[in-house]
Amino acid sequence: MKDFIKKYRHTWLILTYLPIYMLWFLTLEKAVTKDYYIIRSPLDSYIPFVEWFIIPYLLWFPFIAGFVLYFILKDKTDYYRLCGLLMSGMTVFLLVCTFFPNGLDLRPDLSTLGRDNVFLDIIRVLHKADTATNVCPSIHVYNSLAVCVAVFTSAHLKTRYVVKAGTLVLTIFICMSTVFLKQHSIIDVFCSFVLAAVLSPVFYLRRSPKSAGAASKEDTENAFN
């Protein structure tokens, strides 16, 4: 056990950040209940509500956690890079929602749809647990893009074409799910893409030429310098 803890002590980073993030986010959820800016685009009206998109929406949770765990076990450098990208974007999200409270009014009244199924039952639970505030940029979209970047730049996954293809497809469906479930406006999705495009080069265009495979300890430290 001692050797295991020593080998994977780098998990301190994500284990330290997550409680801070959750405390901040839950505080926002309780504080932002009125007088917030409504995020809406004319394009949102052309996107139908499709309840089966709850499947990729919920797959987001094991998708993100699974690849974080993979890089914890396989590549410390890529783990640090992914954590840096995830945490920087999530922190920007918290700051935006703190100083620019936002929300949406896109969610349909499920009782008026004229149908009932297990997907709608799950969405009812989701609506009770997740408010329609603090939506821009979409963390579902941003974190999915971050993992996609990590997978496509990983030396360990360089020839794992099935993994890459699956990651890309699931990322696309997760992004689509946020708007087809009316959990987000297309504006939230766009802002997440912009944020990912700005932050990804900070962590993924500084790979040392000598690290075609596993990177050195110096490279790991340089990921945050």
Side-chain angles (χ1 to χ4, degrees), residues 43-181:
L43 293 176
D44 295 325
S45 300
Y46 295 96
I47 301 174
F49 174 80
V50 183
E51 62 263 31
W52 65 261
F53 268 104
I54 191 64
I55 297 174
Y57 189 85
L58 293 180
L59 284 176
W60 176 84
F61 294 96
F63 175 58
I64 302 301
F67 273 111
V68 170
L69 179 60
Y70 173 83
F71 288 117
I72 285 174
L73 299 175
K74 283 293 186 178
D75 193 312
K76 188 187 297 185
T77 298
D78 279 341
Y79 160 74
Y80 277 121
R81 286 193 173 101
L82 176 57
C83 282
L85 185 55
L86 290 172
M87 294 188 303
S88 58
M90 292 163 73
T91 301
V92 169
F93 160 76
L94 292 172
L95 290 171
V96 169
C97 292
T98 298
F99 296 104
F100 182 65
N102 58 79
L104 47 78
D105 57 0
L106 297 173
R107 290 181 176 180
D109 182 349
L110 301 183
S111 64
T112 66
L113 296 179
R115 59 184 185 273
D116 202 12
N117 51 58
V118 65
F119 301 132
L120 292 176
D121 290 338
I122 297 172
I123 293 170
R124 289 187 184 97
V125 175
L126 174 64
H127 285 180
K128 290 181 179 179
D130 183 28
T131 70
T133 59
N134 307 308
V135 296
C136 187
S138 167
I139 288 301
H140 251 68
V141 172
Y142 177 83
N143 282 3
S144 298
L145 294 173
V147 165
C148 201
V149 170
V151 168
F152 274 79
T153 57
S154 169
H156 287 280
L157 298 172
K158 186 176 181 179
T159 59
R160 300 294 182 90
Y161 303 114
V162 173
V163 174
K164 288 183 176 181
T167 298
L168 181 60
V169 170
L170 185 53
T171 296
I172 292 171
F173 272 92
I174 289 173
C175 293
M176 291 174 63
S177 75
T178 63
V179 291
F180 279 95
L181 291 177

Side-chain angles (χ1 to χ4, degrees), residues 190-210:
F190 174 77
C191 290
S192 297
F193 270 83
V194 171
L195 185 61
V198 170
L199 293 179
S200 293
V202 175
F203 299 96
Y204 285 92
L205 288 184
R206 304 180 68 179
R207 184 184 294 273
S208 171
K210 65 182 179 181

